[in-house]
């Protein structure tokens, strides 16, 4: 079992930055490092979409085109924490952001690949 808790969301203006965190607690020591991790977001009236993913060691990283060069995903396996640094935010980034964990090695952008989800944190970007 893996429990995920996001934090760091808030109300910001266009061009501002935010860093989201996702703290993981596992039933056994070292479990966090066994999971591929991802950030997803869901805007009002829209489906949940992939934003960024990171492999177990942190070497593999993947981003949806709309956030490339603005967002950076990272992880600290010693702290059981996933991060998403978001720069140059725009109103189109407004959404609830979720972190998710996948046990499958091949997990990538498909929501169905992910086994555990956090409760989400709201990010609102005003003009």
């Amino acid at each position: 079992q893996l429990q995920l808790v996001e934090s760091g969301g808030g109300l910001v203006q266009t061009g501002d930055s935010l860093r989201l965190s996702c703290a993981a607690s596992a039933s056994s020591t070292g479990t966090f490092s066994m999971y591929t991790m991802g950030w997803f977001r869901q805007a009002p009236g829209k489906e949940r979409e992939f934003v960024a993913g990171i492999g177990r060691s942190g070497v593999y990283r993947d981003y949806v085109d709309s956030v490339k060069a603005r967002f950076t995903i990272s992880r600290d396996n010693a702290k059981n924490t996933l991060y998403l640094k978001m720069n140059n935010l725009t109103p189109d980034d407004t959404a609830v952001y979720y972190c998710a964990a996948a046990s499958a090695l091949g997990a990538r952008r498909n929501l169905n690949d992910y086994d555990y989800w956090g409760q989400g944190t709201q990010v609102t970007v005003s003009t």
Side-chain angles (χ1 to χ4, degrees):
Q1 290 292 331
L2 194 68
Q3 293 181 326
L4 304 173
V5 179
E6 301 95 335
S7 62
L11 173 63
V12 297
Q13 295 183 329
T14 296
D16 285 351
S17 298
L18 277 176
R19 189 179 79 158
L20 305 183
S21 298
C22 172
S25 60
S27 59
S28 59
T29 302
T31 302
F32 177 72
S33 62
M34 296 168 58
Y35 289 88
T36 294
M37 300 297 297
W39 285 101
F40 293 77
R41 65 186 179 186
Q42 188 166 17
K46 295 187 177 181
E47 294 185 350
R48 192 171 300 188
E49 65 171 357
F50 172 84
V51 176
I54 188 167
R56 298 175 178 184
S57 67
V59 173
Y60 171 82
R61 305 186 191 193
D62 183 27
Y63 300 93
V64 68
D65 285 348
S66 60
V67 308
K68 276 182 182 176
R70 298 190 300 123
F71 290 12
T72 302
I73 188 171
S74 62
R75 67 189 297 165
D76 186 336
N77 286 342
K79 295 183 178 180
N80 288 352
T81 304
L82 175 73
Y83 303 99
L84 185 68
K85 180 65 187 301
M86 306 185 294
N87 295 326
N88 195 22
L89 287 161
T90 74
D92 287 341
D93 296 315
T94 295
V96 177
Y97 283 71
Y98 299 89
C99 69
S103 58
L105 271 177
R108 294 292 183 265
R109 300 186 175 195
N110 191 330
L111 278 71
N112 294 326
D113 290 341
Y114 290 79
D115 305 295
Y116 301 102
W117 293 82
Q119 84 290 346
T121 185
Q122 177 71 48
V123 172
T124 303
V125 185
S126 64
T127 56

